[in-house]
Amino acid sequence: MIFTLYIFDPNGNCIFYKEWTRRRHLKMAQDEEFKLTYGLIASIKAFSTRLSPVEPKDGFHSFATDKYIMHFFESTTSMKFLLTSDLTAPSLRDLLHQIFLIYTETVCRNVLVPARGRTIDSQLFISRLETAIQQSPYFSSK
Amino acid sequence: MVFYSLYIINKAGSLIYHYDHNLQRNEVEKTYSYPLEFVLDIVDDRVVVRFGEIDGIRVGYAVLAVNGIAVTGRTFAKEGEKTDIDVMDFLGKSQNYPVQLKFGRPPLRTNERIMLASTFHSLYAISAQISPEHGSSGIKTLDTDVFRLHCFQTITGTKFIVLTDLRQDGMDALLRKLYQIYADYALKNPFYLLEMPVRLDLFDQNVQAAIEQVDKTGVSVI
């Protein structure tokens, strides 16, 4: 089951957020939640690189608690893609990479969209994202 | 399997025990002529490569030895000299070349370990806080491309953290075994102060034995 998707730009602003089956909502404002999530991921990245016993290449991939898994993918341009799912899903990095490709095709290559710092409102992006997520074998809206 | 490290963090987030097991270091030793191809800088009281990845030397690597003499901090002791020589001064003078330098990933210092331990303590709390599901715990496993972190929190709030390679599953058994060793040899020791660093020989021996056993034969035998 896929819960939520966050996309962060290199400055740490959340430029896209969507939820599917999310049962718990935080008591804080949504932008506070984005800041907390970005902060967590940025710290985990630094933490895991420093702690790494061997030379890391791209570092942090995912973490799991007893209720959810947070999957992480970072492009070379420091765009961060986060997907939360339940524990049945294995690595969803392929799906995140697919979302990244949809993003480059529909948002980056669109000359009418400013390069930085705008939330994604492309309908094409949203519809193609929706298809990609729903085609994933780990998506079910139980 | 490869077992890398064990950390034990108390309920307040401070590191009370750590143990490293067969950490292999990636070190590069070469002879250089003047001037050096890369830019060095002092970071955190260590001489670190700032720019110029070449011959397997990467940005962030520290100078570990000069002409075979180990570097401590930013200086090294040279025979016949009363005071230690500053590495940056030494490498800045062309008459000291050719020079043999050893580079490698700088090993973690105790202070850094304490810092990382308390960082993990807060990451654990935040990951539970932002959960999209009700009643989630904190981080139980954390995957990177080269290692996996397994964390077990006891009901009293002590965290046992184990770093292994990616092939490892079922580390819960080892974490519980380590918890048992902690209860038996640290908590039952009348001279051990709660929440304080564990410095007990019997505990060390048992931890080492349990880890070596897992390292050789796998988790199934515990």
Side-chain angles (χ1 to χ4, degrees):
Chain A
M1 211 183 300
I2 290 171
F3 300 138
T4 56
L5 169 73
Y6 302 83
I7 302 178
F8 291 98
D9 76 358
N11 300 323
N13 305 311
C14 184
I15 57 165
F16 188 79
Y17 169 75
K18 189 156 172 59
E19 60 186 54
W20 286 273
T21 13
R22 182 171 180 171
R23 296 199 193 91
R24 176 174 177 267
H25 289 84
L26 309 188
K27 288 197 183 77
M28 59 182 80
Q30 199 169 42
D31 64 320
E32 293 293 314
E33 181 194 328
F34 295 157
K35 281 182 196 164
L36 196 60
T37 310
Y38 183 81
L40 175 70
I41 293 306
S43 318
I44 287 184
K45 251 191 74 180
F47 168 81
S48 54
T49 327
R50 194 65 198 97
L51 195 69
S52 184
V54 277
E55 194 69 46
K57 279 189 249 355
D58 48 9
F60 170 53
H61 280 183
S62 69
F63 73 74
T65 73
D66 62 354
K67 287 282 159 61
Y68 74 101
I69 305 177
M70 175 89 81
H71 307 267
F72 173 71
F73 171 81
E74 185 175 21
S75 73
T76 38
T77 47
S78 293
M79 296 285 303
K80 293 176 180 67
F81 295 78
L82 287 174
L83 200 61
T84 56
S85 73
D86 67 352
L87 300 180
T88 56
S91 172
L92 290 180
R93 278 175 70 80
D94 290 346
L95 180 60
L96 281 170
H97 190 251
Q98 205 182 330
I99 296 171
F100 169 59
L101 293 180
I102 297 174
Y103 167 78
T104 50
E105 279 166 27
T106 59
V107 182
C108 285
R109 292 187 192 161
N110 185 340
V111 284
L112 299 175
V113 177
R116 286 275 155 90
R118 267 279 299 275
T119 52
I120 302 173
D121 43 18
S122 155
Q123 286 307 311
L124 186 59
F125 172 77
I126 294 169
S127 65
R128 286 184 61 184
L129 169 77
E130 200 67 44
T131 326
I133 295 275
Q134 285 179 13
Q135 275 172 358
S136 161
Y138 305 103
F139 177 84
S140 68
S141 45
K142 257 183 274 172
Chain B
M1 76 161 275
V2 186
F3 182 99
Y4 295 123
S5 311
L6 161 72
Y7 292 82
I8 304 177
I9 302 173
N10 74 9
K11 65 183 173 203
S14 59
L15 185 67
I16 56 172
Y17 189 77
H18 78 83
Y19 170 71
D20 283 337
H21 193 73
N22 62 29
L23 285 189
Q24 73 273 42
R25 295 246 163 255
N26 185 16
E27 291 173 349
V28 186
E29 187 155 24
K30 278 191 77 176
T31 308
Y32 295 92
S33 54
Y34 187 80
L36 286 174
E37 297 119 317
F38 28 71
V39 181
L40 298 174
D41 200 359
I42 307 276
V43 176
D44 234 356
D45 208 37
R46 262 199 285 241
V47 184
V48 168
V49 178
R50 247 296 155 74
F51 176 77
E53 295 199 345
I54 192 166
D55 305 332
I57 293 163
R58 314 227 351 218
V59 168
Y61 273 22
V63 178
L64 300 177
V66 177
N67 291 331
I69 309 163
V71 172
T72 43
R74 47 203 279 189
T75 56
F76 66 99
K78 197 179 171 190
E79 247 177 82
E81 301 269 350
K82 281 198 186 100
T83 51
D84 289 354
I85 299 168
D86 190 283
V87 177
M88 291 294 265
D89 285 351
F90 184 83
L91 295 178
K93 293 181 187 130
S94 57
Q95 68 265 31
N96 293 326
Y97 287 78
V99 67
Q100 199 183 14
L101 295 175
K102 182 150 89 181
F103 291 92
R105 261 168 73 80
L108 285 170
R109 289 187 285 220
T110 312
N111 269 343
E112 287 171 298
R113 287 181 200 272
I114 292 170
M115 211 181 69
L116 289 170
S118 54
T119 309
F120 185 79
H121 187 73
S122 34
L123 297 177
Y124 187 92
I126 297 170
S127 65
Q129 203 190 336
I130 64 160
S131 165
E133 277 278 55
H134 290 284
S136 175
S137 71
I139 299 174
K140 290 200 119 168
T141 59
L142 189 150
D143 282 22
T144 73
D145 54 342
V146 285
F147 76 97
R148 177 174 290 161
L149 176 153
H150 309 257
C151 174
F152 166 60
Q153 179 171 260
T154 69
I155 44 171
T156 49
T158 310
K159 287 186 193 70
F160 290 79
I161 294 165
V162 156
L163 306 186
T164 62
D165 65 349
L166 291 170
R167 279 167 297 173
Q168 203 45 50
D169 274 325
M171 286 308 280
D172 277 1
L174 175 67
L175 286 165
R176 271 157 219 280
K177 171 78 181 172
L178 291 167
Y179 181 28
Q180 190 194 331
I181 293 171
Y182 172 71
D184 282 348
Y185 297 99
L187 297 182
K188 288 180 190 171
N189 186 323
F191 299 103
Y192 173 64
L193 291 170
L194 263 184
E195 314 296 328
M196 293 305 274
V198 184
R199 292 182 202 285
L200 305 164
D201 287 340
L202 209 51
F203 178 74
D204 287 348
Q205 287 162 20
N206 280 280
V207 165
Q208 212 167 330
I211 289 170
E212 261 160 26
Q213 193 186 9
V214 170
D215 213 24
K216 281 197 201 93
T217 49
V219 189
S220 54
V221 289
I222 304 178

